[in-house]
Amino acid sequence: MAADAPHREYRSGSDQRTLRDALGSFATGVTVVTCVDSQGRPFGLTVNSFTSVSLDPPLLLVCIARRARCRAALAEAAHFAVNVLQTGQQPASIRFSTRDEDRFGTTPWSTGETGAPLLMDSLAVFECERTAIHEGGDHDILVGKVLRASFDPNLDPLLYFRGRYRRLHFD
């Protein structure tokens, strides 16, 4: 290595910390997945494991930790929404990732066409019908058929990378 070359750390291993750090090297958007339970109470949590599955039919998936308090409500709900957060919604992301009992109390939201809560001013929103739930280790993989999608092309995404919130930087 040349004397003036920058030192770069490279780690490998099969332990959980190395795996978490390596996975954290993949920048993701931040979402809040929401639903209502059988009594009509809103539930939601911050999720960054979200992806498109298919355009025809329109399917997406989110991964929900089995220990999440709202896991049962999401697993039983016929409909759910994926709210893709924009840069101004970092406080909502934090609130929905904590044990705060009243996550919806200070977060502006409305009821979507399917009955799922929609966070106001989100970058994008997908209203879904649950089509399947699969076991995936310590998570459940929730698959939904997109019934309605909306987005605001003037907003920028809230990103998460290496354990921190980030923003896009345009040249």
Side-chain angles (χ1 to χ4, degrees):
M1 183 185 314
D4 59 346
H7 173 68
R8 296 208 167 122
E9 178 184 356
Y10 178 79
R11 292 184 290 150
S12 65
S14 58
D15 61 284
Q16 282 192 354
R17 181 76 260 163
T18 300
L19 180 60
R20 282 181 77 89
D21 290 349
L23 289 169
S25 295
F26 181 66
T28 64
V30 182
T31 70
V32 171
V33 180
T34 57
C35 71
V36 292
D37 70 3
S38 59
Q39 283 91 43
R41 295 176 298 190
F43 282 86
L45 79 158
T46 301
V47 172
N48 70 348
S49 295
F50 158 74
T51 193
S52 169
V53 174
S54 169
L55 291 176
D56 187 18
L59 300 174
L60 58 76
L61 69 77
V62 292
C63 297
I64 309 297
R66 291 213 170 151
R67 68 182 194 285
R69 285 188 177 178
C70 62
R71 177 195 164 273
L74 282 163
E76 295 169 7
H79 297 93
F80 66 92
V82 178
N83 301 271
V84 179
L85 303 188
Q86 47 97 355
T87 55
Q89 292 177 303
Q90 183 176 332
S93 172
I94 294 167
R95 187 173 309 107
F96 279 85
S97 68
T98 66
R99 296 272 185 201
D100 186 353
E101 293 298 319
D102 189 15
R103 295 174 175 179
F104 290 90
T106 57
T107 304
W109 63 283
S110 64
T111 302
E113 290 181 15
T114 65
L118 308 181
L119 303 188
M120 303 295 284
D121 302 319
S122 292
L123 174 66
V125 175
F126 300 91
E127 294 182 69
C128 302
E129 174 183 20
R130 178 180 41 84
T131 60
I133 298 176
H134 304 283
E135 290 185 17
D138 59 1
H139 282 66
D140 284 338
I141 302 164
L142 179 62
V143 181
K145 180 179 181 183
V146 178
L147 302 176
R148 183 172 181 268
S150 59
F151 68 98
D152 185 337
N154 299 307
L155 297 174
D156 290 328
L158 180 62
L159 302 176
Y160 202 73
F161 176 70
R162 292 193 175 150
R164 294 179 45 207
Y165 290 97
R166 310 291 180 131
R167 295 174 185 231
L168 288 177
H169 296 281
F170 297 99
D171 293 330

